[in-house]
Amino acid sequence: MPKFMVKGAAKEAQQLWSNLVHEKPVLPYLIPVFFLAWVLERWIIPFSNWIPVFVTVWATLQYGKYRRRQTVEDLNNRWKRHILCSQPTTPLEPCEWLNKLLMTVWPNFIEPKIVRKLLSSLQKKIKEKKPKTVHSLEVQDFTFGTAPPMLGLQRTYWSMEDGSQPVLHMGFEWDTNEMSVLLAAKLAGPLRGTSARVVINSIHIKGDLRIVPILDGQGILYSFDTTPEVKVGIAFGSGSQSVPQTELPVLSTWLENLFIDTLNHTMVEPRRRCYPLPSVDLKKKAVGGILSVTVVSAQNLLRERSELGRDNNNSNGSLGRKSQGKFVEIACEDLMRKTRMQGGGLSPVWDETIDMVLHDNTGTVHFNVYEQGPNNNVKFDFIGSCEVKIKYVDDDSTLFWAVGNKLSVLASRAEHCGKEVTLTVPLENATGELTVKLALKEWQFADGSKAVASYMPSNIIHMQQQTMLGTYPSLNVHTGRKLKICTVEGRNLAPMDRTGKSDPYLKLFYGKMLRKTKTVNQDLNPLWNQEFIFQELGGGEYLKIKCYDADRFGDENLGCARVNLQGLVEGQVKDVWVPLEKIKQGEIHLRIEVLGRDGDWDCLQKQEKGTVAGGEGATVEVVLVEARDLVAADWGGTSDPYVSVRYGNIKKRTKVVYKTLAPQWGQTLEFVDDGSPMVLHVKDYNTILPTSSIGHCDVSYECLPPNQTVDRWLPLQGVNTGEIHFQLTRRVLEKQSPVTAGDVLKMNGGTISGNTKLQRNAGKVRSLIRKAMTLAEEEDETEEIKMMLEELENAEEEREGIISQLQRDRDLLVGKVKELEQAMSGVL
């Protein structure tokens, strides 16, 4: 007999015995009695043979009863599963157990993950959508607190839609006043220099969630059935307040409306978001991609009857419109392209392929169908629209989903790049369907790798990025590498002049750096071939490109683009054609190369390890030599430049050189080395009007070896042209040798010289105060007063430095005098 049959029989016997013991507790006591009777019958007193027969019959009856009960339980379980899967609705159920579990795991597991994911997205949106009135906007705090959202407090049930699509309905309620989203803003424009803090301290969201499993459990779609109830608490304060306290009902209402509008466009039926459920997580972060979109054809295109009635006054009018040309406009974020005009009545065929650019791991492609107006009018009539959403999944697949007929779900999955997916999507607010084919040509990842059409996940080793819980990603941090970006050429740019041509040029924005190419006159396919060098920034900083048509009375916009620079590898050149966004045509050809780390970065790493240090008494000495190619800020084509040096909270400035774009200052400024950042601001001096900035640059001095001078030209940031020449020295005092009597006399003379300096400084302060008081009595002299107060502040800082130096000299002198007295007393 096979072993598996023996094991099965043993298991069956064990289950039978357990069941008999459970039903007949006396059975263990009866078995020894029967065994004793058998022993007596066998060797002592013989009984009849009916006892074994009775035991066999009884055991058979018990086994049959056990098998019948097992069969009934199995049939009941199958029937329950069948009823659960086939019935259209399930009974309403509370979810207290789920909320209890959620409250337990929320603070230390779910909330940090959500905060880290939303924070990265929020910081990107802030950089991209920052208003012009805000100079900088920073997220200083981002927490949701310990109160999680409550699920299914009132009702939770399953329903069956369209006879085959199960849908989970669940109540959603989140009411918390423990959250803290703190934004610190520095304003620009007329309020430049003013800082403000805004904190979102409470939120209330109440609605009904709708969860739909798709693709046999490979993902779920979630949305609100209707627009949820939203209330937001917000406080406002100045930059000096650590926690804003002023409640702003108007701003709260505006933020609530903005939040509701965002939900209506992204997460209220029929708009749905997707949460993929991959079986494998390859630990990669997709940061962009290239999507190939093929518009195949449309079927049964008809607008709403009310619109057709306005356009056609008789029944033959609708038939006449069938011959009008139609085209499809494709939009993905700010990138828009359109197909050619195509006839074909109610079912035109285009079969045209267009490449779109994704700037994240998800995206939405909108399709808008138009037809030409009557009598070949220039205007086009809108027929209808639809959209398809795309999302990268952690197992290197891609999900596509859209809204089907009667709000059903259309979903498909591409296991790898290059696989084509075909969807037939119904149009909204119209009759008809649009057939499209979509395929991901390329996914780009944060570690520098790519997934292309011939890509297989097992052939590439990916880096796992580790992010500590509770830490925020750093933005605009120099990595030490340099980027060489070559603007090669453009093609198929939009014509803006009457001649059918344009005069294009480019502006490149990276962090705070701005660079501009030359202007190519009367050409829609310009050739620039210009190279620019940028310091590489971390935190996913994009290279932003804006294309303009040069015009005497104001430059016209030819489009813009964003290029993701994450994951660039040294020694490899990235050659790309970037389509222009916010316009319907045009591409820019770029070559991007990463240069190696320079000496400053290596020195900075040594400084972080402690090998470079200023020491006590160290100073930073900067010599502002000259500048060249400055921006003309005055009407005469010149400027009146001077340099304002900000070192931490200390500001010093040079003299003004009038009417020149290449000033020479040759001035030396000195600061006590305390590790503060140094920024050089080049400004244009005006007597009546406020001073205007003509560029600035950051100076890194921490990596400099002691008592060595570096001589550099640095490009100015925030302007098109301009460089400044400076020399920087980090001076460290040598150790003092034993003091002799001659040194005592020198220090005494130094004290007298210090007192003289202090008296002169006091006279200078009194003179500046008198001048400021005189200017304060006059009108329209605010700029003069401001400059005078800056000089007064510098004089006060100089006075404090002299006093501290005098105190050090005095203490040293007293100590040496005592040593001299002891030495003299020993001699005597």
Side-chain angles (χ1 to χ4, degrees), residues 194-211:
T194 306
S195 59
R197 291 171 179 261
V198 178
V199 60
I200 302 174
N201 49 32
S202 65
I203 191 170
H204 170 78
I205 304 176
K206 185 177 181 180
D208 292 325
L209 275 180
R210 169 190 175 96
I211 301 175

Side-chain angles (χ1 to χ4, degrees), residues 373-561:
N375 300 324
N376 293 328
N377 197 340
V378 177
K379 295 182 179 180
F380 300 103
D381 295 330
F382 177 72
I383 297 179
S385 64
C386 61
E387 64 181 30
V388 177
K389 295 187 177 182
I390 306 102
K391 188 176 182 66
Y392 171 78
V393 187
D394 291 334
D395 61 356
D396 269 337
S397 62
T398 307
L399 287 183
F400 303 85
W401 72 96
V403 179
N405 291 315
K406 299 181 181 180
L407 301 183
S408 61
V409 176
L410 295 176
S412 186
R413 175 175 176 264
E415 290 78 8
H416 54 80
C417 280
K419 182 177 179 180
E420 198 171 60
V421 169
T422 303
L423 295 175
T424 300
V425 187
L427 299 179
E428 299 180 13
N429 302 322
T431 301
E433 295 177 327
L434 187 68
T435 301
V436 296
K437 294 181 180 179
L438 303 103
L440 256 301
K441 298 175 65 176
E442 177 182 301
W443 275 119
Q444 303 163 2
F445 303 108
D447 59 6
S449 61
K450 294 182 181 180
V452 294
S454 58
Y455 161 87
M456 294 300 293
S458 58
N459 295 336
I460 294 181
I461 300 176
H462 300 282
M463 299 170 59
Q464 179 174 356
Q465 298 182 340
Q466 299 179 351
T467 305
M468 299 299 294
L469 290 177
T471 60
Y472 298 162
S474 58
L475 299 177
N476 293 339
V477 177
H478 290 282
T479 64
R481 304 192 303 179
K482 293 183 178 180
L483 300 177
K484 182 171 74 172
I485 299 176
C486 177
T487 56
V488 183
E489 58 183 323
R491 68 184 179 192
N492 194 27
L493 300 184
M496 290 295 179
D497 298 340
R498 293 182 178 180
T499 59
K501 301 287 185 178
S502 292
D503 306 320
Y505 68 91
L506 298 178
K507 284 185 178 181
L508 281 70
F509 301 85
Y510 187 67
K512 296 181 179 179
M513 299 290 289
L514 167 63
R515 290 295 178 262
K516 177 183 175 182
T517 68
K518 63 185 178 182
T519 301
V520 180
N521 296 321
Q522 296 297 301
D523 198 344
L524 298 181
N525 300 290
L527 185 64
W528 292 291
N529 269 333
Q530 288 184 258
E531 293 183 351
F532 302 96
I533 304 295
F534 297 92
Q535 293 286 342
E536 187 184 39
L537 301 176
E541 184 71 21
Y542 281 91
L543 171 68
K544 302 178 183 64
I545 303 172
K546 292 186 178 180
C547 185
Y548 293 94
D549 170 46
D551 201 340
R552 181 178 301 177
F553 301 104
D555 297 347
E556 296 181 89
N557 186 20
L558 289 177
C560 62

Side-chain angles (χ1 to χ4, degrees), residues 325-329 338-341 350 368-370 380:
K326 299 176 179 65
F327 70 92
V328 179
E329 181 185 70
K338 66 178 183 179
T339 65
R340 65 184 183 276
M341 189 75 67
W350 294 280
N368 302 314
V369 184
Y370 295 87
F380 300 103

Side-chain angles (χ1 to χ4, degrees), residues 246-452:
T246 306
E247 298 287 342
L248 294 178
V250 177
L251 189 57
S252 298
T253 304
W254 171 80
L255 191 61
E256 290 170 6
N257 294 333
L258 178 63
F259 194 50
I260 290 174
D261 185 64
T262 303
L263 285 177
N264 286 332
H265 284 84
T266 59
M267 199 177 156
V268 176
E269 281 294 308
R271 308 287 182 252
R272 299 154 183 164
R273 300 183 70 89
C274 180
Y275 187 82
L277 301 172
S279 58
V280 179
D281 187 357
L282 297 179
K283 301 296 183 182
K284 297 187 298 181
K285 179 183 177 183
V287 295
I290 300 176
L291 175 67
S292 174
V293 180
T294 302
V295 182
V296 182
S297 62
Q299 299 84 32
N300 304 322
L301 288 182
L302 280 177
R303 289 184 293 161
E304 293 294 333
R305 292 186 177 181
S306 58
E307 297 182 5
L308 288 175
R310 288 194 298 266
D311 295 335
N312 304 280
N313 296 325
N314 51 54
S315 59
N316 294 330
S318 60
L319 296 175
R321 297 186 64 82
K322 295 180 183 178
S323 60
Q324 300 295 332
K326 299 176 179 65
F327 70 92
V328 179
E329 181 185 70
I330 309 168
C332 182
E333 295 186 12
D334 294 328
L335 179 59
M336 292 183 295
R337 294 294 183 265
K338 66 178 183 179
T339 65
R340 65 184 183 276
M341 189 75 67
Q342 183 68 34
L346 300 180
S347 302
V349 177
W350 294 280
D351 202 12
E352 187 170 345
T353 302
I354 298 173
D355 288 344
M356 309 300 287
V357 178
L358 301 176
H359 296 296
D360 204 346
N361 65 343
T362 184
T364 303
V365 181
H366 300 271
F367 299 92
N368 302 314
V369 184
Y370 295 87
E371 73 174 339
Q372 195 172 23
N375 300 324
N376 293 328
N377 197 340
V378 177
K379 295 182 179 180
F380 300 103
D381 295 330
F382 177 72
I383 297 179
S385 64
C386 61
E387 64 181 30
V388 177
K389 295 187 177 182
I390 306 102
K391 188 176 182 66
Y392 171 78
V393 187
D394 291 334
D395 61 356
D396 269 337
S397 62
T398 307
L399 287 183
F400 303 85
W401 72 96
V403 179
N405 291 315
K406 299 181 181 180
L407 301 183
S408 61
V409 176
L410 295 176
S412 186
R413 175 175 176 264
E415 290 78 8
H416 54 80
C417 280
K419 182 177 179 180
E420 198 171 60
V421 169
T422 303
L423 295 175
T424 300
V425 187
L427 299 179
E428 299 180 13
N429 302 322
T431 301
E433 295 177 327
L434 187 68
T435 301
V436 296
K437 294 181 180 179
L438 303 103
L440 256 301
K441 298 175 65 176
E442 177 182 301
W443 275 119
Q444 303 163 2
F445 303 108
D447 59 6
S449 61
K450 294 182 181 180
V452 294

Side-chain angles (χ1 to χ4, degrees), residues 15 18 29 43 77 140 276 312 314 341 373 396 417 446 462 688 790 810:
Q15 290 179 354
S18 299
Y29 303 100
W43 284 287
N77 291 333
Q140 293 188 342
N312 304 280
N314 51 54
M341 189 75 67
D396 269 337
C417 280
H462 300 282
I688 300 177
E790 290 181 0
R810 173 184 172 279

